[in-house]
Amino acid sequence: QVQLEESGGGLVQAGGSLRLSCAASGRPFSTYAMAWFRQTPGKQREFVGGISPSGGITRYGEFVKGRFTISRDNAKNTVYLQMNSLKPEDTAVYYCAARRAILVGSPNAYDYWGQGTQVTVSS
């Protein structure tokens, strides 16, 4: 079992930045691919980006366009999502997820989820 807890969400003005953190506990963190998803009411969960277990591979959703960066610190059992140049359309609940396999973009492939953290970007 892996427990995930997100933090760092909040209210920010358009053009601003936020850094989300996801702290993991349980099985060896370094064996899990980690990803961030986001969701707004009435819509499916959307892949924001992910990082391989070693941190050597990252992938991002097309809408990111260089604005977000995912990183991980396996010694601290934590994955980060640095979000810059935020837009009102980035407003969503952001979720951290883990799977003990290769990095993929489908939310159905992830076994463990955090509770989510709200990000609100004002115009």
Side-chain angles (χ1 to χ4, degrees):
Q1 284 279 18
V2 174
Q3 292 79 43
L4 303 174
E5 184 173 0
E6 303 95 337
S7 62
L11 174 64
V12 64
Q13 289 188 332
S17 299
L18 280 176
R19 188 176 83 154
L20 306 184
S21 299
C22 174
S25 59
R27 290 186 178 272
F29 179 70
S30 61
T31 64
Y32 285 82
M34 303 297 297
W36 289 94
F37 292 84
R38 69 184 189 182
Q39 190 170 26
T40 54
K43 292 189 177 181
Q44 292 186 340
R45 218 159 266 197
E46 179 180 38
F47 177 71
V48 176
I51 188 166
S52 63
S54 68
I57 299 171
T58 55
R59 286 177 53 193
Y60 296 94
E62 288 187 4
F63 66 89
V64 170
K65 296 183 179 179
R67 298 182 298 130
F68 299 174
T69 303
I70 292 176
S71 61
R72 66 189 295 161
D73 185 339
N74 285 346
K76 295 183 178 180
N77 288 4
T78 303
V79 63
Y80 305 98
L81 178 66
Q82 177 67 45
M83 303 187 292
N84 299 327
S85 302
L86 283 161
K87 306 174 183 180
E89 51 264 44
D90 293 318
T91 296
V93 177
Y94 283 70
Y95 296 91
C96 174
R99 71 187 302 260
R100 197 175 183 186
I102 62 172
L103 174 63
V104 297
S106 171
N108 295 332
Y110 286 80
D111 302 308
Y112 304 102
W113 292 85
Q115 294 297 310
T117 185
Q118 176 71 46
V119 171
T120 303
V121 185
S122 63
S123 57

Short mmCIF file of all heavy atoms in Angstrom, two decimals, residues 73-105:
data_model
loop_
_atom_site.label_atom_id
_atom_site.label_comp_id
_atom_site.label_asym_id
_atom_site.label_seq_id
_atom_site.Cartn_x
_atom_site.Cartn_y
_atom_site.Cartn_z
N ASP A 73 12.05 13.62 -5.39
CA ASP A 73 13.17 13.41 -4.49
C ASP A 73 12.91 12.07 -3.80
O ASP A 73 12.11 12.00 -2.86
CB ASP A 73 13.26 14.55 -3.48
CG ASP A 73 14.48 14.46 -2.59
OD1 ASP A 73 15.04 13.34 -2.46
OD2 ASP A 73 14.87 15.47 -2.01
N ASN A 74 13.55 11.03 -4.28
CA ASN A 74 13.29 9.70 -3.74
C ASN A 74 13.77 9.55 -2.30
O ASN A 74 13.25 8.72 -1.56
CB ASN A 74 13.91 8.64 -4.63
CG ASN A 74 13.12 8.43 -5.92
OD1 ASN A 74 11.97 8.88 -6.03
ND2 ASN A 74 13.72 7.76 -6.89
N ALA A 75 14.72 10.36 -1.91
CA ALA A 75 15.18 10.31 -0.51
C ALA A 75 14.13 10.88 0.44
O ALA A 75 14.07 10.49 1.61
CB ALA A 75 16.48 11.08 -0.37
N LYS A 76 13.29 11.78 -0.09
CA LYS A 76 12.24 12.40 0.73
C LYS A 76 10.87 11.83 0.43
O LYS A 76 9.87 12.30 0.98
CB LYS A 76 12.24 13.91 0.51
CG LYS A 76 13.49 14.61 0.99
CD LYS A 76 13.39 16.11 0.80
CE LYS A 76 14.62 16.82 1.32
NZ LYS A 76 14.55 18.29 1.15
N ASN A 77 10.81 10.85 -0.46
CA ASN A 77 9.52 10.24 -0.83
C ASN A 77 8.51 11.30 -1.29
O ASN A 77 7.33 11.26 -0.91
CB ASN A 77 8.93 9.44 0.34
CG ASN A 77 9.68 8.15 0.59
OD1 ASN A 77 10.69 7.86 -0.05
ND2 ASN A 77 9.19 7.36 1.53
N THR A 78 8.97 12.21 -2.09
CA THR A 78 8.12 13.33 -2.50
C THR A 78 8.26 13.61 -3.98
O THR A 78 9.37 13.53 -4.53
CB THR A 78 8.48 14.59 -1.69
OG1 THR A 78 8.35 14.32 -0.29
CG2 THR A 78 7.55 15.74 -2.04
N VAL A 79 7.15 13.92 -4.60
CA VAL A 79 7.14 14.37 -5.99
C VAL A 79 6.56 15.79 -6.01
O VAL A 79 5.70 16.13 -5.20
CB VAL A 79 6.33 13.41 -6.89
CG1 VAL A 79 4.87 13.35 -6.48
CG2 VAL A 79 6.46 13.78 -8.35
N TYR A 80 7.06 16.59 -6.93
CA TYR A 80 6.69 17.99 -7.00
C TYR A 80 6.12 18.32 -8.37
O TYR A 80 6.47 17.71 -9.38
CB TYR A 80 7.91 18.88 -6.75
CG TYR A 80 8.62 18.59 -5.45
CD1 TYR A 80 9.74 17.77 -5.44
CD2 TYR A 80 8.17 19.13 -4.25
CE1 TYR A 80 10.40 17.48 -4.25
CE2 TYR A 80 8.83 18.86 -3.06
CZ TYR A 80 9.93 18.03 -3.07
OH TYR A 80 10.59 17.76 -1.89
N LEU A 81 5.27 19.32 -8.39
CA LEU A 81 4.77 19.89 -9.64
C LEU A 81 4.93 21.40 -9.54
O LEU A 81 4.19 22.06 -8.81
CB LEU A 81 3.31 19.51 -9.88
CG LEU A 81 2.69 20.11 -11.14
CD1 LEU A 81 3.36 19.54 -12.39
CD2 LEU A 81 1.18 19.82 -11.20
N GLN A 82 5.90 21.91 -10.25
CA GLN A 82 6.12 23.35 -10.31
C GLN A 82 5.30 23.90 -11.46
O GLN A 82 5.48 23.49 -12.61
CB GLN A 82 7.60 23.67 -10.52
CG GLN A 82 7.90 25.15 -10.68
CD GLN A 82 7.64 25.94 -9.41
OE1 GLN A 82 8.03 25.51 -8.32
NE2 GLN A 82 7.01 27.09 -9.55
N MET A 83 4.39 24.81 -11.16
CA MET A 83 3.50 25.38 -12.18
C MET A 83 3.77 26.86 -12.31
O MET A 83 3.62 27.61 -11.34
CB MET A 83 2.04 25.13 -11.79
CG MET A 83 1.71 23.66 -11.59
SD MET A 83 -0.05 23.37 -11.34
CE MET A 83 -0.29 24.13 -9.75
N ASN A 84 4.16 27.26 -13.49
CA ASN A 84 4.43 28.67 -13.79
C ASN A 84 3.46 29.17 -14.85
O ASN A 84 2.81 28.38 -15.54
CB ASN A 84 5.87 28.82 -14.28
CG ASN A 84 6.89 28.39 -13.25
OD1 ASN A 84 6.69 28.54 -12.05
ND2 ASN A 84 8.00 27.85 -13.73
N SER A 85 3.39 30.46 -14.98
CA SER A 85 2.53 31.09 -15.99
C SER A 85 1.12 30.53 -15.93
O SER A 85 0.53 30.16 -16.96
CB SER A 85 3.13 30.90 -17.39
OG SER A 85 4.43 31.44 -17.47
N LEU A 86 0.58 30.46 -14.76
CA LEU A 86 -0.74 29.86 -14.58
C LEU A 86 -1.83 30.67 -15.26
O LEU A 86 -1.77 31.91 -15.32
CB LEU A 86 -1.04 29.68 -13.10
CG LEU A 86 -0.31 28.49 -12.45
CD1 LEU A 86 -0.28 28.64 -10.94
CD2 LEU A 86 -0.97 27.19 -12.85
N LYS A 87 -2.82 29.95 -15.76
CA LYS A 87 -3.95 30.54 -16.46
C LYS A 87 -5.24 30.19 -15.71
O LYS A 87 -5.28 29.16 -15.03
CB LYS A 87 -4.03 30.00 -17.88
CG LYS A 87 -2.75 30.15 -18.69
CD LYS A 87 -2.89 29.45 -20.03
CE LYS A 87 -1.60 29.53 -20.82
NZ LYS A 87 -1.71 28.84 -22.14
N PRO A 88 -6.28 30.99 -15.87
CA PRO A 88 -7.55 30.63 -15.23
C PRO A 88 -8.03 29.22 -15.59
O PRO A 88 -8.63 28.55 -14.75
CB PRO A 88 -8.51 31.71 -15.75
CG PRO A 88 -7.63 32.89 -15.99
CD PRO A 88 -6.33 32.32 -16.51
N GLU A 89 -7.75 28.78 -16.80
CA GLU A 89 -8.18 27.43 -17.21
C GLU A 89 -7.40 26.32 -16.52
O GLU A 89 -7.73 25.14 -16.67
CB GLU A 89 -8.09 27.26 -18.73
CG GLU A 89 -6.78 27.66 -19.34
CD GLU A 89 -6.81 29.08 -19.89
OE1 GLU A 89 -7.33 29.99 -19.19
OE2 GLU A 89 -6.26 29.28 -21.00
N ASP A 90 -6.36 26.67 -15.76
CA ASP A 90 -5.65 25.67 -14.96
C ASP A 90 -6.36 25.40 -13.64
O ASP A 90 -5.95 24.51 -12.88
CB ASP A 90 -4.22 26.14 -14.66
CG ASP A 90 -3.35 26.19 -15.91
OD1 ASP A 90 -3.44 25.26 -16.74
OD2 ASP A 90 -2.59 27.18 -16.05
N THR A 91 -7.41 26.16 -13.35
CA THR A 91 -8.17 25.94 -12.13
C THR A 91 -8.77 24.54 -12.11
O THR A 91 -9.46 24.14 -13.05
CB THR A 91 -9.29 26.98 -12.01
OG1 THR A 91 -8.70 28.28 -11.88
CG2 THR A 91 -10.18 26.71 -10.81
N ALA A 92 -8.47 23.80 -11.06
CA ALA A 92 -8.92 22.41 -10.95
C ALA A 92 -8.48 21.85 -9.61
O ALA A 92 -7.70 22.48 -8.88
CB ALA A 92 -8.32 21.56 -12.07
N VAL A 93 -8.95 20.66 -9.31
CA VAL A 93 -8.38 19.88 -8.21
C VAL A 93 -7.26 19.04 -8.81
O VAL A 93 -7.47 18.34 -9.80
CB VAL A 93 -9.44 18.98 -7.55
CG1 VAL A 93 -8.79 18.14 -6.45
CG2 VAL A 93 -10.56 19.82 -6.96
N TYR A 94 -6.11 19.13 -8.21
CA TYR A 94 -4.94 18.40 -8.70
C TYR A 94 -4.69 17.19 -7.80
O TYR A 94 -4.65 17.32 -6.57
CB TYR A 94 -3.72 19.32 -8.71
CG TYR A 94 -3.74 20.29 -9.87
CD1 TYR A 94 -4.66 21.33 -9.93
CD2 TYR A 94 -2.87 20.13 -10.95
CE1 TYR A 94 -4.72 22.20 -10.99
CE2 TYR A 94 -2.91 21.00 -12.03
CZ TYR A 94 -3.83 22.03 -12.04
OH TYR A 94 -3.87 22.88 -13.11
N TYR A 95 -4.52 16.05 -8.46
CA TYR A 95 -4.32 14.79 -7.76
C TYR A 95 -2.95 14.20 -8.08
O TYR A 95 -2.49 14.24 -9.22
CB TYR A 95 -5.37 13.77 -8.18
CG TYR A 95 -6.78 14.12 -7.83
CD1 TYR A 95 -7.58 14.83 -8.72
CD2 TYR A 95 -7.33 13.74 -6.61
CE1 TYR A 95 -8.89 15.16 -8.40
CE2 TYR A 95 -8.64 14.05 -6.28
CZ TYR A 95 -9.40 14.76 -7.19
OH TYR A 95 -10.70 15.07 -6.86
N CYS A 96 -2.37 13.61 -7.08
CA CYS A 96 -1.15 12.84 -7.22
C CYS A 96 -1.53 11.36 -7.31
O CYS A 96 -2.46 10.92 -6.62
CB CYS A 96 -0.28 13.12 -6.00
SG CYS A 96 1.21 12.14 -5.87
N ALA A 97 -0.82 10.61 -8.14
CA ALA A 97 -1.12 9.19 -8.31
C ALA A 97 0.16 8.40 -8.47
O ALA A 97 1.18 8.93 -8.92
CB ALA A 97 -2.02 8.99 -9.52
N ALA A 98 0.08 7.11 -8.12
CA ALA A 98 1.26 6.24 -8.18
C ALA A 98 0.90 4.91 -8.79
O ALA A 98 -0.21 4.39 -8.60
CB ALA A 98 1.82 6.03 -6.77
N ARG A 99 1.84 4.34 -9.54
CA ARG A 99 1.69 2.98 -10.04
C ARG A 99 3.07 2.32 -10.05
O ARG A 99 4.08 2.98 -10.34
CB ARG A 99 1.08 2.95 -11.44
CG ARG A 99 1.96 3.43 -12.56
CD ARG A 99 1.21 3.51 -13.87
NE ARG A 99 0.60 2.27 -14.30
CZ ARG A 99 1.13 1.46 -15.21
NH1 ARG A 99 2.27 1.78 -15.78
NH2 ARG A 99 0.52 0.35 -15.57
N ARG A 100 3.06 1.01 -9.74
CA ARG A 100 4.34 0.30 -9.65
C ARG A 100 4.67 -0.30 -10.99
O ARG A 100 4.65 -1.52 -11.17
CB ARG A 100 4.29 -0.77 -8.57
CG ARG A 100 5.68 -1.22 -8.18
CD ARG A 100 5.66 -2.19 -7.04
NE ARG A 100 7.00 -2.56 -6.65
CZ ARG A 100 7.27 -3.48 -5.74
NH1 ARG A 100 6.29 -4.11 -5.13
NH2 ARG A 100 8.51 -3.76 -5.44
N ALA A 101 4.94 0.56 -11.94
CA ALA A 101 5.24 0.11 -13.30
C ALA A 101 5.71 1.33 -14.08
O ALA A 101 6.00 2.37 -13.51
CB ALA A 101 4.02 -0.54 -13.95
N ILE A 102 5.76 1.17 -15.40
CA ILE A 102 6.25 2.27 -16.21
C ILE A 102 5.27 3.44 -16.19
O ILE A 102 4.08 3.26 -15.89
CB ILE A 102 6.52 1.83 -17.66
CG1 ILE A 102 5.21 1.35 -18.32
CG2 ILE A 102 7.58 0.74 -17.70
CD1 ILE A 102 5.37 1.09 -19.80
N LEU A 103 5.76 4.60 -16.53
CA LEU A 103 4.96 5.80 -16.58
C LEU A 103 3.99 5.75 -17.76
O LEU A 103 4.37 5.49 -18.89
CB LEU A 103 5.90 7.00 -16.74
CG LEU A 103 5.26 8.36 -16.96
CD1 LEU A 103 4.41 8.76 -15.76
CD2 LEU A 103 6.32 9.38 -17.25
N VAL A 104 2.72 6.00 -17.47
CA VAL A 104 1.70 6.08 -18.53
C VAL A 104 0.78 7.25 -18.23
O VAL A 104 0.80 7.79 -17.12
CB VAL A 104 0.87 4.77 -18.64
CG1 VAL A 104 1.77 3.61 -19.04
CG2 VAL A 104 0.15 4.47 -17.35
N GLY A 105 -0.03 7.61 -19.21
CA GLY A 105 -0.86 8.79 -19.04
C GLY A 105 -2.32 8.53 -18.70
O GLY A 105 -3.06 9.48 -18.49
#
